[in-house]
Every structure is written in structure tokens, then in C-alpha cells.
């Protein structure tokens, strides 16, 4: 199969490229060359998705049996790309997000849950998860408007694993490696369902190879693991003796702890980890144990890589603030005795 990956140098796109080569595909990547090196063995076309000239040159390098697009972030970008590739690509796999659902993260979700509303004339300068989700809805529509039933829409929840530039799991690994008393959010039994990047990449390729039509939630099964198992795996991988102090959601919110950022992966809403991906699992999506994801991510970090991105810079709670909240929690526990 001749495969075009839009991106291909970071995280999911990079792992898709690695696995595609392992499957024997002829792989081309299209990127600006700014976010890292391409995987050895791919054909690289350097260009910008916002450039009409670059997209025309890309189309001239076709045709492709399939396109996998993990980098389409704006409606205009996806519209321009799909129009440019309409006559030179047979299938299009678009990586969207569970943020497209109106109920995320407050309500349980299925593949049939209602989507957020997207209008081209939406509020200028709007930001936040709702705006991001609406943009992705628009991106999905742009793909379907051009490729119709020759498209797969994938809606992953949280993806973890080696090459993660966002830095959620790397932050936890680093914090627990440093030891001491660690502020652990919620309860050890709180169920979570992140998916390994390698499993998400494999399913993306399956969709391209098998021409799977429609949309699929991409997540580990509900109840696949717990936050306690995640942090225990971090302790095991790093050889740490850190003490985990579990502090409930309400107390953390009362002290203004920012969900998803100050304590990465923590979001106390019911729907965050109630994403039904049974349709994808019935079609072939498989998920490895979370402990394997954690251990392999730590090994990757030990190779000397630097996790650096604007989003990573926003992650994590300061040591001083963590100590203050733990002290307040200790005082509350002592008062209840």
C-alpha cells in the first residue's frame, strides 16, 4: 500500500510511520520539518498545509492508496488538504478527538453521542475545550464532504506512550521518580482508560488497510485500569519509594487545583473515563496493559530525549504548592479523627 502520513515526526504520526514500514508499506510523510526527524525509511516531502503551492506539489507526488491525518487542527487546513488530495487518494483516515462530543467530559459517551455544533462564523478568538471540539467537528465534516464513504473518523480519548510530546505521563514519571510524598488525585480505585499510542497507531493502519467506514471511539475498555495502577506502575518503572497520598476530588477543587494540567490526566468528571469504544474493539482494536505503556515510556525517557512543547510547559504542580495542599489535607484528616 502507498501510504501518505500528514505529519509523521511526532507521537502518533511517528508511530504510525514506524508500524507502516514494519507492515511493508511504501510510506510518504508530508510535514514542515520543524517538529523532529522523520522515521528512517520513509519518503519525505517538505511542505506546509497552509500553502496552496505546497499542497499542489504534494498532490503531484501521488497517488496514494490511503492518507492518515493526525495533524489536521483547523477546518481551513483540513478543507484545503482534502480538496488537494481528492483525486490522488483512495481513502482518508482522520484522527479527531472525543472533544467533538457535546457531553465530554461530563457524561458517558458512545459512538452515537451527539456532537458539538460547528458554525464557520463561530465566536472570533474563542478558546478552550469546547472551541477545540467544535473545530474538530468542522474538520470531520470537511473530510466527509470530500471523501464521503471513503473515510474513517477516529476519536481517541487520552493517548499515552513513548514519544509523547504533551508530557502527561512523562510528568508523572518524573514526579514519582523524585520521591517524597506525592499528591495523588481522587482515589486509587478511580477507573481510567487511556490507550497506548502503539495500539492507536495499529488501529489507524487497520482502518486504512481494511477501508473501515464511519467513526470510532478509540480508547481502552471502560475500567481497563485505575489511577492507582497507573501511579503504582510509575513507582515500579522508576524504582521509586514515593508515598502516594490520595486526596479526593472535592478537596482538590476547593483548593483550586487545575484539572488536566496541574495534576495531568486528572479530571474528576464522570464522563472523562466513560468512553465506550466497544465498536472499535469489535472491529479489531486491542489494548496492551497500562503497566507496559508506563514501563516503555520510562525506558524511552532514559534515552536522553527532551519532552518540550508549549503544552508540556503548562503541566504540573509546583513542589511548594503540592506541600501546602498536602499539609492542608493532613490537617483535615487529623481533625476528623
Amino acid at each position: 500500500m502507498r501510504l501518505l502520513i500528514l505529519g509523521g515526526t511526532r507521537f502518533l504520526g511517528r508511530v504510525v510511520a514506524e508500524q507502516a514500514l514494519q507492515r511493508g508499506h511504501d510510506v510518504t510523510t508530508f510535514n514542515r520539518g520543524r517538529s523532529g526527524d522523520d522515521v528512517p525509511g520513509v519518503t519525505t516531502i517538505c511542505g506546509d498545509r497552509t500553502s496552496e503551492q505546497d499542497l499542489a506539489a504534494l498532490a503531484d507526488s501521488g497517488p496514494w492508496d490511503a492518507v492518515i491525518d493526525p495533524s489536521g487542527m483547523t477546518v481551513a487546513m483540513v478543507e484545503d488538504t482534502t480538496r488537494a488530495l481528492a483525486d490522488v487518494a483512495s481513502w482518508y483516515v482522520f484522527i479527531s478527538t472525543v472533544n467533538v462530543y457535546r457531553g465530554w467530559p461530563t457524561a458517558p459517551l458512545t459512538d452515537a453521542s451527539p456532537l458539538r455544533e460547528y458554525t464557520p462564523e463561530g465566536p472570533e478568538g474563542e478558546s478552550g475545550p469546547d472551541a477545540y471540539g467544535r473545530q474538530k467537528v468542522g474538520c470531520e465534516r470537511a473530510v466527509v464532504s470530500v471523501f464521503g464513504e471513503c473515510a474513517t473518523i477516529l476519536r481517541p480519548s487520552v493517548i499515552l506512550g513513548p514519544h509523547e510530546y504533551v508530557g502527561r505521563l512523562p510528568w508523572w514519571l518524573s514526579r514519582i521518580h523524585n520521591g517524597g510524598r506525592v499528591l495523588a488525585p481522587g482515589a486509587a480505585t478511580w477507573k481510567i482508560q487511556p490507550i497506548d499510542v502503539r495500539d492507536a497507531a495499529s488501529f489507524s493502519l487497520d482502518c486504512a488497510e481494511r477501508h473501515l467506514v464511519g467513526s470510532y471511539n478509540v480508547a481502552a475498555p471502560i475500567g481497563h485500569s485505575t489511577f492507582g495502577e497507573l501511579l503504582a506502575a510509575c513507582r515500579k518503572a522508576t524504582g521509586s519509594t514515593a508515598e502516594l497520598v490520595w486526596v479526593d476530588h472535592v478537596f482538590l477543587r476547593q483548593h483550586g487545583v487545575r484539572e488536566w494540567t496541574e495534576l495531568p490526566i486528572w479530571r474528576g468528571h464522570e464522563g472523562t473515563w466513560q468512553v465506550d469504544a466497544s465498536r472499535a474493539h469489535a472491529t479489531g482494536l486491542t489494548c496492551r496493559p497500562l503497566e507496559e505503556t508506563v514501563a516503555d515510556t520510562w525506558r524511552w525517557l532514559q534515552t536522553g530525549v527532551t519532552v518540550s512543547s508549549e503544552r508540556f510547559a503548562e503541566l504540573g504542580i509546583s513542589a511548594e504548592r503540592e506541600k501546602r495542599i498536602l499539609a492542608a489535607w493532613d490537617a483535615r484528616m487529623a481533625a476528623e479523627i
Side-chain angles (χ1 to χ4, degrees), residues 140-184:
E140 291 184 8
R141 291 180 181 176
V143 171
V144 174
S145 70
V146 173
F147 281 87
E149 292 191 353
C150 295
T152 312
I153 306 296
L154 301 183
R155 295 168 179 158
S157 61
V158 176
I159 303 176
L160 302 177
H163 302 290
E164 186 205 336
Y165 66 90
V166 177
R168 297 185 180 108
L169 181 51
W171 185 87
W172 276 113
L173 283 162
S174 175
R175 172 63 194 93
I176 288 179
H177 177 251
N178 289 338
R181 301 181 78 217
V182 175
L183 180 59

Side-chain angles (χ1 to χ4, degrees), residues 7 22 40 44 88 119 127 135 177 197 212 221 246 263 281 299 337:
Q22 292 167 3
T44 303
V88 294
T119 54
S127 61
Q135 274 289 311
H177 177 251
V197 64
L212 299 181
W246 294 95
L263 294 177
H281 288 285
R299 278 192 285 269
I337 296 176

Side-chain angles (χ1 to χ4, degrees), residues 3-8 12-13 16 30 49 66-74 77-79 81-82 85 91-96 136 139-140 142-143 147 152-154 156 204 208:
L3 177 68
L4 171 63
I5 302 172
L6 301 175
L12 179 58
V16 169
F30 177 71
R49 293 181 64 168
V67 177
I68 295 182
D69 181 1
S71 63
M73 299 301 294
T74 68
M77 176 189 295
V78 176
E79 285 178 338
T81 305
T82 51
L85 298 177
W91 200 265
Y92 202 102
V93 179
F94 180 69
I95 312 300
S96 185
K136 283 289 195 174
C139 292
E140 291 184 8
V143 171
F147 281 87
T152 312
I153 306 296
L154 301 183
S204 302

Side-chain angles (χ1 to χ4, degrees), residues 239-254:
S240 173
T241 57
E243 175 191 356
L244 304 177
V245 183
W246 294 95
V247 177
D248 69 45
H249 302 304
V250 174
F251 189 87
L252 293 173
R253 288 174 179 147
Q254 288 173 343

